[in-house]
Amino acid sequence: CLRLLGNVMILVVLGLVALSYYPIVVTIYGPAMFDQNISPVKEVAAIFVVASFHVLAALMLWSYFAAILTCPGHVPDDFRPDVDPEENPEAMSDKSDPRRPRFCRKCQKWKPERTHHCSICGRCVLKMDHHCVWVMNCVGERNYKFFFLFLWHTFLLSLLSVLALLPYFSEFFKGERNADKGSNPAQLAVSFMAFVVDLAFCLSLFGFIVMHLKLIAANCTTIEMFEKERIKPWPYDKGVKKNFEEVFGTSKLLWFVPVQRDQACTNEERLRLRM
């Protein structure tokens, strides 16, 4: 059932891109690039909008499918904590310490720090943030960057669409456009629908992005953010710069490109897995 829902979500994402693509590229700004009757300024603006839309849509879909197809990170079968709880039971007594050894009763094996069991995936996930229905996958250590970039590029694409469709949104209420612009009521209706949908996504995604930026800056996950309020200082906070590099990598030129970080395993992950 959840797999079917995930497949539906893929179609929804593709449908939302197509909903904006039709009025912006097909009916409005695409034809304007080749219209000899408009001013050079409007022609350049049309080229900018069409080119930006294609770049952002490509980055958004790239990030989306990377988040779907990338394993979030699972616990090796041979993992054992540094401190053997059987020999040192006091190591597990401090419930306020997130670094204490923990045993997953469902997987029947030890799990590293910051690892949580996903009941939907049926396994433990490294640095688990949450299980996302939109990407049909857990968001964890190795695909969190792709998930965040999916949110980021979707927000930018929605913002571009809102700004590009804003003039036509007002014309929808007028019920008419100049005949030389070759518009009709059906095109105006699609433009209005795309504007409303993009505006809704733009506003909702802004809140999610701000929340995740705060989490990244503190080296914290959605699951851990309530635990972080009880534990001062937060043991995983390395400073804003290193916290961002932990997610996006050290090469800032690739921060907003959905490619793997400098290495498949981060230094933090290697320490947790005792590699």
Side-chain angles (χ1 to χ4, degrees):
C1 183
L2 287 175
R3 185 175 295 274
L4 176 62
L5 179 60
N7 293 329
V8 171
M9 288 301 182
I10 294 178
L11 295 177
V12 170
V13 170
L14 296 176
L16 291 173
V17 175
L19 179 64
S20 298
Y21 186 89
Y22 177 76
I24 291 177
V25 178
V26 177
T27 66
I28 299 175
Y29 291 96
M33 293 191 301
F34 306 101
D35 190 348
Q36 299 179 352
N37 297 321
I38 66 172
S39 65
V41 174
K42 290 185 177 180
E43 183 179 356
V44 171
I47 294 173
F48 173 79
V49 169
V50 172
S52 299
F53 187 94
H54 281 90
V55 170
L56 290 175
L59 288 171
M60 186 269 276
L61 293 175
W62 184 2
S63 303
Y64 180 58
F65 285 104
I68 292 175
L69 299 174
T70 303
C71 172
H74 298 136
V75 182
D77 292 332
D78 59 350
F79 171 79
R80 290 286 296 178
D82 285 341
V83 179
D84 192 338
E86 295 179 358
E87 298 179 359
N88 187 9
E90 294 180 358
M92 299 184 64
S93 61
D94 188 2
K95 301 299 182 182
S96 64
D97 187 359
R99 295 168 293 185
R100 70 186 185 279
R102 293 179 301 162
F103 187 79
C104 180
R105 296 179 180 177
K106 295 182 179 179
C107 294
Q108 286 299 302
K109 60 183 180 182
W110 293 100
K111 54 185 178 181
E113 304 168 33
R114 315 189 76 180
T115 300
H116 298 274
H117 184 88
C118 176
S119 58
I120 298 176
C121 295
R123 51 190 172 184
C124 289
V125 177
L126 298 175
K127 198 180 176 182
M128 180 179 172
D129 189 87
H130 68 288
H131 186 93
C132 181
V133 178
W134 284 91
V135 301
M136 298 188 301
N137 199 0
C138 271
V139 177
E141 179 84 45
R142 300 180 187 176
N143 68 344
Y144 182 77
K145 174 184 177 179
F146 304 141
F147 170 76
F148 179 82
L149 290 183
F150 167 57
L151 296 181
W152 176 256
H153 292 309
T154 303
F155 169 75
L156 293 181
L157 184 64
S158 300
L159 181 61
L160 173 69
S161 300
V162 167
L163 296 177
L165 293 171
L166 188 59
Y168 303 90
F169 171 70
S170 60
E171 291 177 12
F172 178 85
F173 288 103
K174 296 178 183 177
E176 59 182 0
R177 288 190 64 193
N178 296 334
D180 61 348
K181 293 185 179 178
S183 218
N184 57 56
Q187 291 177 355
L188 287 171
V190 173
S191 299
F192 172 69
M193 186 184 304
F195 178 88
V196 172
V197 171
D198 284 319
L199 181 61
F201 268 90
C202 196
L203 295 175
S204 60
L205 286 174
F206 179 77
F208 279 111
I209 289 172
V210 170
M211 182 190 78
H212 279 283
L213 283 174
K214 290 181 178 179
L215 292 176
I216 294 171
N219 201 340
C220 183
T221 66
T222 302
I223 292 177
E224 295 171 338
M225 63 181 177
F226 296 108
E227 185 179 16
K228 176 177 175 292
E229 298 302 317
R230 297 185 291 103
I231 303 174
K232 303 291 185 180
W234 183 241
Y236 305 111
D237 189 355
K238 305 172 184 176
V240 174
K241 181 176 181 291
K242 290 187 177 181
N243 290 343
F244 270 85
E245 289 177 349
E246 191 70 43
V247 174
F248 297 105
T250 55
S251 177
K252 293 181 176 56
L253 293 176
L254 298 178
W255 274 21
F256 296 99
V257 181
V259 295
Q260 285 286 2
R261 295 161 297 188
D262 309 272
Q263 50 189 4
C265 282
T266 64
N267 291 331
E268 183 181 353
E269 183 181 345
R270 289 176 181 275
L271 288 173
R272 287 201 301 273
L273 294 179
R274 315 295 184 247
M275 297 175 63

